[in-house]
Amino acid sequence: MLARDFSDVGKNHVQFGGEGGRTGEFWYPGRISSVRDNTKVDAVAVADTCNNRVQVLSTKGEYKYGLGRKGRDPGQFLMPCAVAVSLRHDVIAVVDSGNHRVQLFTKYGRSNVPTVIGKKGDAPGELNNPTGACWCGDDGQELLVVDSSNHRLHFFRPFAVEAKPWTFGSKGTGGRRGEFLFPEDATWHDGSTFNDDEAALKEPVLSDPTTS
């Protein structure tokens, strides 16, 4: 991985990383998410997929700390492919794709025991090869997980008492609303940013390889 910051009209400010398994190196990294200190972006969390870990680095590329190693126990990963940071709860959600689950690490990953969401299957609350996630909803407390091999989206409220997960979508080629074929990722768009247009609904924007 070679990470670059083009935040100022395409100018290359910072670049870091390289192929390998040492600290600060990556092997087929997946998606990243920013980590904030108050209102300032302080670091980035990177799903270092083939090294079976997550690395948190400063915006200058300095290593801060890491999460996980290869395995199936809580706190371990098999091919983690995405991360999603909740600023409200100081939580890093890691999409642990090879273990068919998502793991939540509090205090931006500095807690030792993660909360595990999901197991392999197709029932509500179960996942099959999840590939992406984002925090969403009006209060930012809902975790949307892209349940790729089940061809659907899965919604969890991990901080709500007795909240049941629910799903949206089914397998299809995209001819009907809510049909997916191995969706890859999703981003939550807040309709209030569209000039307060009441017709702009809050809904996920999906990455579906069959339509690209």
Side-chain angles (χ1 to χ4, degrees), residues 2-16 58-61:
L2 182 64
R4 295 182 176 179
D5 175 9
F6 293 100
S7 57
D8 184 11
V9 197
K11 183 182 292 186
N12 185 2
H13 287 278
V14 180
Q15 63 185 46
F16 54 85
S58 75
T59 53
K60 296 181 180 180

Side-chain angles (χ1 to χ4, degrees), residues 128-147:
N128 189 359
N129 186 34
T131 54
C134 64
W135 296 94
C136 60
D138 293 335
D139 55 7
Q141 298 193 60
E142 199 155 33
L143 181 64
L144 186 163
V145 179
V146 180
D147 192 6

Side-chain angles (χ1 to χ4, degrees), residues 29-44:
R31 296 170 178 87
I32 69 174
S33 185
S34 61
V35 179
R36 294 176 181 267
D37 181 10
N38 295 325
T39 60
K40 181 181 179 181
V41 175
D42 179 60
V44 291

